[in-house]
Amino acid sequence: MIVNILRFSFRSGTTEEERAEVLAAMRRTASVESVSFSTVGQDLGDPAEGYTHAYCVGIADLEALERYMHDPVHIEGDYTIIPRVERLAPARLSDDLDPELAGKVMALHLKKVETYPEWGRLVESVSGGRIPSGA
């Protein structure tokens, strides 16, 4: 199982309607067939860290991760979500002890960036470079 967790906060000035739209888009993405489990909601971490919300998906394996990353629902949703996010901090974990798994996951990410370079730049802009655009 590969688990992807995103902690985030909304941009200043984001309306309640826009926040609801973002959370709905995240829930749609978290419901695609390649996702085994998910949750979208409030962040319960230290408020001083500045994150207010969190997104978590569990994905069975690399094949499912690749389908998830290229699912049209995911790609379309990101163009609704990312422009309204101020900060984004990723955490990834897995019960698969393959020492090369992190590199394989990054290779899938960079393949997506190569396919959708605008998407890659958008993600990198809100992650502070913690999710690279490959540039």
Side-chain angles (χ1 to χ4, degrees):
M1 186 68 58
I2 299 166
V3 179
N4 187 36
I5 301 167
L6 301 172
R7 298 174 71 202
F8 66 97
S9 58
F10 289 101
R11 289 189 188 278
S12 177
T14 303
T15 68
E16 286 303 316
E17 182 178 298
E18 290 169 328
R19 288 174 186 235
E21 182 181 6
V22 165
L23 295 174
M26 287 183 156
R27 289 184 180 106
R28 283 190 300 277
T29 299
S31 298
V32 299
E33 67 79 25
S34 53
V35 173
S36 298
F37 65 84
S38 67
T39 190
V40 177
Q42 66 175 321
D43 181 80
L44 300 176
D46 183 353
E49 293 176 341
Y51 300 104
T52 57
H53 291 77
Y55 170 92
C56 175
V57 291
I59 299 171
D61 54 31
L62 284 170
E63 292 79 21
L65 179 61
E66 187 166 22
R67 288 193 316 275
Y68 166 78
M69 293 173 78
H70 293 276
D71 192 296
V73 171
H74 186 179
I75 294 165
E76 179 183 321
D78 281 350
Y79 287 102
T80 298
I81 297 162
I82 297 169
R84 295 185 175 128
V85 169
E86 178 69 30
R87 299 179 59 211
L88 179 72
R92 294 173 199 91
L93 54 121
S94 180
D95 59 356
D96 181 338
L97 299 179
D98 174 359
E100 306 212 1
L101 184 61
K104 292 173 184 177
V105 169
M106 183 55 66
L108 288 176
H109 168 75
L110 293 175
K111 179 181 172 185
K112 182 174 179 177
V113 169
E114 184 179 318
T115 305
Y116 307 99
E118 181 183 335
W119 174 87
R121 288 187 294 274
L122 193 61
V123 170
E124 186 177 52
S125 74
V126 297
S127 74
R130 288 175 288 193
I131 305 176
S133 68

